[in-house]
Amino acid sequence: MKVIRDAVKAVLLVGGLGTRLRPLTYRIPKPLVPVLGKPLMMHVIDSLPPEVDETIIPVSYMKETMQEYLAKNPPRRKITLVDEPRPLGTGGAVKNVEDLLEGQGTFLVINGDSLSSLDVAKFVRFHKEKAGVATISLWTAEDVTPFGVVDIDEDSRIKRFQEKPKQEDAFSNLINAGAYALEEEVLGYMDKGFVSMERDIFPKILDDGMYGFSFEGYWIDCGKRESLLDAYWTLMGNEAESISKNCVSEGAVVKKPLIVGEGAVITGASVGPHAYISERVVIGLRSKVERSVLFEDARVGARCTIFDSIIDSGVTIPDGTEVRSEIVSNARDPKLK
Ligand code: GDD
Ligand code: MG
């Protein structure tokens, strides 16, 4: 019997190691990496409609850091952290929380490393209308090789799915944007242990009805430096110009879009376009900061160039340094300590 329930639960997949954001992710897990002052994971949770009455987060990496964050910043919505003994893959992580999904009918699975304008309520309605076992969100990409790719018909039914194909083998330029509405029976296709949703499960459920939902607006995969910076610029827009009081001294040049947090000190430097300067950051004389994000208490000396980079909290950049397309952090691989 199909369960009809208006509320749905969501499983948020954030268990990856965030290797492409190292060394930043030695200090904080990827889901807590801030985007405009708010952790990536909270952007995703806040974008969920009220119909989502519980967000389940399987965690294996830096669980304590996540617990601490949630204790200090109690979310308004119900969040359940579940231990994942070791990384079980995108499917295995869902199977591991099966008990919480039993009797729920439709549920959501969302990759927590991207930000998007997907209207989740509309997505779930579309899934229910199509009455398949799975619906996945779709985005259009030029380079499809780092993604899942679909072959889809006029009725939005997915005929074939391929994970990370070579460009010449790709079925289309429509990629898996990492949000799934699934029926409970999909759990029956999963064994316990390591399971990849994309490689092991999707190909198996095609015959039971798998649909694709394209949407407009934005979709940004935040898993690496370039795209994380892109997330800042997309969310800020071209007109952002928010500068806290007394932060910019005479002789400094600021160009929008930019945001300058409280207690920051910009002296005789050029900052922007595209700059996110967090609280208490100091930028010295004749330095230039462009297309970059500086976290709290970072200090940039005099005559520095910071371009297309992320400077982590508390980092000091010595006078005369050039930083281009880098993530600079004091954090070190904990295994080496
Ligand atoms: N709990 C848990 N356990 N989460 C995991 C695990 C795991 O073992 N492995 C990965 N995740 C989480 C990641 O943190 C990420 O949020 C999400 O699952 C997807 O994993 P990635 O490792 O980031 O996969 P990808 O980016 O190479 O590809 C996936 O996402 C693309 C869209 O961004 C695939 O789903 C592609 O088909 C898709 O196009
Ligand atoms: Mg990813």
Side-chain angles (χ1 to χ4, degrees), residues 21-28 295 310-317 323 326-332:
L21 287 178
R22 281 177 182 164
L24 183 58
T25 41
Y26 286 137
R27 180 175 69 82
I28 27 171
F295 290 157
I310 298 170
I311 311 293
D312 196 8
S313 298
V315 166
T316 297
I317 306 287
V323 180
E326 262 185 72
I327 299 178
V328 184
S329 173
N330 294 330
R332 293 288 168 267

Side-chain angles (χ1 to χ4, degrees), residues 12-17 20 30 58-60 84 86-90 93 111-114 146-148 161 163-164 175-178 180 194 198 219 221:
L12 189 63
L13 294 177
V14 296
L17 296 178
R20 288 164 295 179
K30 185 165 66 173
V59 223
S60 54
E84 190 176 314
R86 62 191 158 87
L88 293 171
T90 46
N111 284 357
D113 64 348
S114 55
F147 304 115
F161 183 92
E163 183 63 15
K164 302 190 175 58
I175 61 150
N176 167 18
Y180 319 131
F194 191 93
E198 300 83 350
W219 178 79
D221 175 10

Side-chain angles (χ1 to χ4, degrees), residues 207-259:
D207 289 344
D208 296 343
M210 188 167 160
Y211 290 85
F213 179 84
S214 298
F215 61 99
E216 310 249 294
Y218 62 89
W219 178 79
I220 311 162
D221 175 10
C222 300
K224 49 186 185 172
R225 178 187 45 77
E226 301 89 304
S227 48
L228 181 61
L229 286 171
D230 218 24
Y232 273 80
W233 316 142
T234 304
L235 296 188
M236 274 165 68
N238 284 333
E239 297 306 313
E241 192 168 18
S242 157
I243 302 174
S244 297
K245 263 194 186 153
N246 305 326
C247 289
V248 178
S249 72
E250 250 179 72
V253 180
V254 290
K255 296 177 202 145
K256 70 179 181 184
L258 94 162
I259 292 178

Side-chain angles (χ1 to χ4, degrees), residues 4 6 8-9 32 47 57 63 71 107 111 115 139 151 158 162 184 207 213 248:
I4 307 288
D6 279 337
V8 290
K9 294 190 181 189
L32 294 186
S47 75
I57 312 183
K63 186 170 180 216
F107 64 95
N111 284 357
L115 292 181
W139 188 252
D151 176 16
I158 296 174
Q162 49 186 182
E184 209 178 319
D207 289 344
F213 179 84
V248 178

Side-chain angles (χ1 to χ4, degrees), residues 130-200:
K130 292 293 182 189
V133 293
T135 302
I136 73 176
S137 62
L138 299 177
W139 188 252
T140 307
E142 261 170 45
D143 174 14
V144 300
T145 55
F147 304 115
V149 177
V150 298
D151 176 16
I152 194 167
D153 72 10
E154 320 73 63
D155 188 34
S156 304
R157 186 160 177 174
I158 296 174
K159 298 292 186 194
R160 293 180 292 172
F161 183 92
Q162 49 186 182
E163 183 63 15
K164 302 190 175 58
K166 288 192 192 137
Q167 192 73 35
E168 60 270 27
D169 299 335
F171 298 145
S172 71
N173 61 352
L174 280 178
I175 61 150
N176 167 18
Y180 319 131
L182 302 176
E183 291 305 307
E184 209 178 319
E185 59 212 74
V186 171
L187 295 167
Y189 284 94
M190 298 175 190
D191 295 325
K192 287 207 184 302
F194 191 93
V195 179
S196 158
M197 186 74 93
E198 300 83 350
R199 293 180 195 276
D200 304 324

